[in-house]
Amino acid sequence: MKFKQVFSKSVLLLLFTVSMPIAARQRPSAPVISRIEPASWFAGMQDPTLQLMVYGKDIKFSDVSTDYPNARIDSLVRLDSPNYLLVYLNLKDAKPGEVTLSFTNKNGKTTRQKLQLKARAMAGADRKGFDNSDVLYMLMPDRFADGNPKNDIVKGMQDQLCNRNEPSLRHGGDLEGIRQHLDYFTDLGVTALWFTPVLENDRPADGGKYSTYHGYATTDYYRVDPRFGTNEEYKALVDACHRKGLKVVMDMIFNHCGDYHPWNKDVPSKDWFNHPGYGLQTSYKLTPVLDPYASKVDMAETVDGWFVSSMPDLNQRNPHVIKYLIQNSEWWIETVGIDGIRMDTYPYADRRAMAEWMKALDAEYPNFNAVGETWVTEPAYTAAWQKDSKLSDINSYLKTVMDFAFFDRLSQAKHEETDDWWKGLNRIYNSLCYDYLYTNPSFVMAFIENHDTDRFLGNGKDSTALKQAYALLLTMNRIPQLYYGTEILMNGTKEVTDGNVRKDFPGGFPGDKVSKFTSEGRTAAENAMYDWIRRLLHWRQNNEVITRGSQTQFIPWHGVYVLARQHKGRTVLTVLNGRKADNQLEVGRYAEVIGTHATATDITTGKSVDLTRNIPLGHRQTMILSF
């Protein structure tokens, strides 16, 4: 009987042990952390608070500690998802070094992680952004040059397509391709490069026909897309640009991320996105943001709707979201040394939160610059977004805005004869006369085209109107932005696909039959245009008449539009014949800016011009007179 009882208990114990879940029989495990963002930070920042976003299975339930000198944990934020934990560190007076963070779960098990606290390369005030002494050259890395064909397709990434015959797929351009052609930019005469986004966009190509080669569907805010290169290669490129006297402007997107971002798969909190699951489509109409009579439904569609179904709309009103984004921009400035930021879809994001970002950036980097994409073609709308504008009840702290009004008026004027009333170059005059709306017209960025518009040449190659556009762009009181390839007469329209205005730069890719990077590879017409703009760009460099001079414009007279810049006794007259017929500049009308000067040099040709008599002008002729 005793034997039977002992046997029965043993059997029951064995059966119970076997039936227990495996996890219950294992020793409690330490917290598992898959990643921390950012993985490094910098000592001596003006704002001592650092947000760490910690990813890991059930990491939400961990406590965190550190014994690093002058580092303390201010708070832990446990989000809705169990797989995220926000750690807010105070690093005031902390010195560079390796910060050890201890994560302890409810079972008393601990995992330690290292945070590199680095010394800053320079003080924030020493970082100088772009301004109106610069000329920005915008390019798309995927379409400019392929310097490393080995990274065209990267194993493990969801998009395994690279096909230059498909305008909407990846073509293989990368950072190394840009680096190999830095001498092209310096020879041309531009001073700053703006790349479309270079961060990881790891998502499959839709239907094998459309990919995110453009970079606007971010899946990792701290990693360069491997098809473009590595973080280290990005920094090396920026350093190489600086050695050549070139600045680098980084394209960022705070309005949305990509649908394959980890946040969209495991949403950190219920208010991390606006209308999760593509619950609302934006109207693309930006006017409600400043409309004093805007309805709630219109405002919500603009600001809270998704840009497209593959780009979840981030909720910048969530203080943790905007803190993450602010830190990310600062991390790239400190880590890579970028000289400016172009912010995509600026008014689509929450207005107050974006002002908070700019205010934080201005406090940390008072001489840095960022430009916001504000796509409405009325000067009053654009001006209201500029820092310290009296047109807005909210100070945006945004120093530079994009002049879509100039782009719009020029797009119309190039097809018209300039009359004595409203058409042609009168449109430019009528746009610039509203510069009193801007707090600082010198910090408005003007352009004649970009990656989202038809190319200025359309489907043609006639450079006549193009020269007039460039002459205005490079002499008016603005920060000018060029678009890659137009200097060699690249053309295209987007009625079929955006890819037709984002073609590959000829000669940048293996197998190209000719290289337009060299004069030998260009046609006579292409060389003529390249040489014309090159001469103008080099003349503009360090030219204080253009960067600091006063501006006077004259109402188009008998089809001729004149814009004058003056500084310390020097004058530049931009003269445009807006008619497709011979014409003349009636010099007497412009006596107030010509004064007693008898001769001038036409920068476009190098020839001397007599200012004592009327100046003949040919069909749509452009002159830039310096005296």
Side-chain angles (χ1 to χ4, degrees):
M1 184 71 177
K2 188 175 181 180
F3 173 78
K4 289 182 178 179
Q5 288 176 340
V6 171
F7 176 78
S8 298
K9 289 179 179 180
S10 299
V11 171
L12 289 172
L13 180 61
L14 177 63
L15 290 174
F16 177 74
T17 302
V18 170
S19 65
M20 286 176 62
I22 293 176
R25 287 184 279 127
Q26 293 176 340
R27 291 184 176 183
S29 61
V32 176
I33 296 172
S34 57
R35 68 192 292 182
I36 297 179
E37 294 174 338
S40 61
W41 197 242
F42 302 89
M45 301 288 283
Q46 292 290 321
D47 182 355
T49 302
L50 171 65
Q51 177 205 84
L52 295 176
M53 189 166 202
V54 186
Y55 300 68
K57 177 68 174 174
D58 293 328
I59 194 64
K60 167 182 178 176
F61 305 106
S62 295
D63 287 321
V64 188
S65 62
T66 183
D67 58 2
Y68 192 80
N70 294 319
R72 73 170 188 267
I73 295 169
D74 279 345
S75 64
L76 300 178
V77 179
R78 309 183 195 280
L79 300 170
D80 297 334
S81 168
N83 304 318
Y84 299 92
L85 178 66
L86 296 180
V87 180
Y88 281 88
L89 279 174
N90 189 312
L91 297 172
K92 185 178 182 181
D93 299 325
K95 304 301 181 184
E98 193 172 71
V99 180
T100 300
L101 298 166
S102 298
F103 294 81
T104 304
N105 62 19
K106 58 185 178 182
N107 296 314
K109 299 298 180 179
T110 299
T111 293
R112 292 176 175 81
Q113 291 284 326
K114 304 291 187 182
L115 171 73
Q116 298 298 321
L117 189 60
K118 300 179 179 181
R120 301 175 76 177
M122 65 181 72
D126 293 337
R127 294 193 180 275
K128 187 178 185 301
F130 62 95
D131 56 30
N132 73 336
S133 67
D134 291 301
V135 176
L136 278 65
Y137 185 93
M138 182 201 178
L139 61 86
M140 304 194 79
D142 183 66
R143 302 301 166 90
F144 191 71
D146 185 358
N148 179 15
K150 293 181 180 179
N151 65 17
D152 290 356
I153 297 176
V154 175
K155 185 178 180 180
M157 300 203 77
Q158 298 185 73
D159 181 358
Q160 293 289 299
L161 301 176
C162 183
N163 185 348
R164 293 182 63 199
N165 294 319
E166 290 292 337
S168 298
L169 292 182
R170 292 183 180 274
H171 289 188
D174 50 33
L175 299 179
E176 175 59 19
I178 297 171
R179 188 197 64 79
Q180 291 175 6
H181 294 94
L182 295 185
D183 287 341
Y184 176 80
F185 305 123
T186 57
D187 181 73
L188 180 61
V190 297
T191 64
L193 305 179
W194 158 24
F195 314 145
T196 49
V198 298
L199 299 186
E200 180 194 274
N201 277 228
D202 187 15
R203 76 182 309 276
D206 288 338
K209 294 183 178 180
Y210 304 99
S211 70
T212 53
Y213 67 89
H214 47 68
Y216 290 98
T218 310
T219 55
D220 190 332
Y221 282 94
Y222 284 94
R223 186 191 189 200
V224 169
D225 195 292
R227 276 83 54 106
F228 294 151
T230 65
N231 287 16
E232 293 72 24
E233 287 175 313
Y234 187 28
K235 176 170 173 49
L237 172 58
V238 173
D239 289 344
C241 286
H242 289 167
R243 289 192 294 271
K244 296 281 188 180
L246 296 166
K247 298 175 183 179
V248 175
V249 177
M250 187 174 184
D251 207 327
M252 294 185 178
I253 315 100
F254 283 8
N255 178 66
H256 53 262
C257 64
D259 57 343
Y260 279 76
H261 192 289
W263 294 338
N264 197 45
K265 299 176 182 179
D266 181 8
V267 181
S269 63
K270 60 181 178 294
D271 61 347
W272 201 261
F273 293 111
N274 293 312
H275 301 280
Y278 193 34
L280 183 67
Q281 167 66 49
T282 185
S283 63
Y284 301 111
K285 296 176 181 178
L286 298 180
T287 46
V289 182
L290 298 182
D291 180 3
Y293 312 115
S295 66
K296 292 180 180 179
V297 64
D298 289 336
M299 180 70 80
E301 286 178 352
T302 296
V303 178
D304 296 340
W306 288 32
F307 200 73
V308 293
S309 62
S310 60
M311 297 177 183
D313 197 68
L314 290 167
N315 176 21
Q316 301 83 23
R317 291 184 293 273
N318 181 321
H320 308 302
V321 172
I322 193 62
K323 179 65 174 177
Y324 178 99
L325 296 170
I326 291 171
Q327 281 188 179
N328 180 255
S329 63
E330 294 173 340
W331 189 87
W332 284 108
I333 293 170
E334 296 287 338
T335 301
V336 174
I338 57 173
D339 306 285
I341 293 170
R342 180 265 186 181
M343 181 56 66
D344 182 66
T345 53
Y346 196 92
Y348 290 91
D350 183 75
R351 192 173 164 207
R352 293 183 184 276
M354 295 304 286
E356 181 183 345
W357 166 59
M358 281 308 314
K359 187 176 182 180
L361 222 59
D362 196 37
E364 198 72 58
Y365 312 100
N367 299 309
F368 194 75
N369 195 13
V371 55
E373 181 193 32
T374 48
W375 198 330
V376 171
T377 60
E378 296 304 321
Y381 184 91
T382 306
W385 286 98
Q386 194 173 41
K387 181 182 178 182
D388 298 330
S389 175
K390 294 180 180 179
L391 301 176
S392 173
D393 60 335
I394 298 174
N395 192 343
S396 70
Y397 295 95
L398 178 66
K399 293 179 183 177
T400 298
V401 290
M402 294 176 67
D403 195 350
F404 280 93
F406 173 74
F407 158 76
D408 176 69
R409 307 309 189 267
L410 187 64
S411 298
Q412 298 176 61
K414 69 182 180 182
H415 298 298
E416 299 174 337
E417 287 279 288
T418 300
D419 58 22
D420 288 335
W421 293 98
W422 308 113
K423 292 186 177 180
L425 295 172
N426 286 286
R427 298 184 186 277
I428 306 302
Y429 170 85
N430 290 331
S431 177
L432 293 181
C433 73
Y434 290 107
D435 269 15
Y436 63 84
L437 295 169
Y438 292 105
T439 53
N440 190 349
S442 297
F443 272 78
V444 176
M445 193 177 84
F447 58 98
I448 66 171
E449 61 191 344
N450 63 29
H451 62 308
D452 289 326
T453 73
D454 288 346
R455 283 196 176 262
F456 187 86
L457 289 170
N459 291 316
K461 294 279 188 177
D462 184 1
S463 64
T464 307
L466 179 60
K467 289 178 179 178
Q468 293 198 333
Y470 273 160
L472 267 177
L473 184 67
L474 296 172
T475 59
M476 62 195 287
N477 189 22
R478 290 291 190 270
I479 300 173
Q481 173 246 302
L482 310 182
Y483 187 43
Y484 79 100
T486 301
E487 71 277 7
I488 56 163
L489 303 179
M490 286 181 65
N491 61 3
T493 56
K494 53 183 290 183
E495 63 257 12
V496 176
T497 172
D498 287 350
N500 285 339
V501 301
R502 305 168 178 178
K503 296 174 184 176
D504 299 345
F505 194 104
F509 294 78
D512 283 357
K513 295 180 180 179
V514 296
S515 174
K516 305 294 184 181
F517 288 110
T518 66
S519 59
E520 294 79 12
R522 296 191 285 262
T523 66
E526 290 165 352
N527 270 321
M529 188 66 235
Y530 180 90
D531 292 342
W532 191 92
I533 187 64
R534 178 184 181 277
R535 182 164 52 249
L536 187 51
L537 287 169
H538 282 277
W539 165 80
R540 190 185 191 278
Q541 290 182 10
N542 303 312
N543 190 331
E544 291 190 344
V545 181
I546 303 304
T547 59
R548 296 188 178 184
S550 63
Q551 179 165 294
T552 304
Q553 66 167 345
F554 295 81
I555 296 173
W557 179 257
H558 297 165
V560 178
Y561 176 50
V562 174
L563 183 82
R565 305 297 304 277
Q566 295 182 295
H567 183 69
K568 292 184 177 180
R570 297 173 56 205
T571 299
V572 171
L573 293 186
T574 301
V575 180
L576 307 179
N577 177 15
R579 293 181 176 173
K580 297 179 181 179
D582 290 343
N583 208 336
Q584 65 176 1
L585 178 72
E586 300 178 29
V587 295
R589 182 173 177 80
Y590 309 98
E592 65 190 89
V593 291
I594 293 176
T596 59
H597 292 276
T599 60
T601 300
D602 183 359
I603 301 303
T604 68
T605 63
K607 295 180 180 180
S608 180
V609 177
D610 185 354
L611 296 178
T612 65
R613 61 185 66 187
N614 292 345
I615 301 170
L617 297 171
H619 153 76
R620 293 273 188 174
Q621 185 174 350
T622 299
M623 302 180 82
I624 300 176
L625 305 179
S626 178
F627 52 91

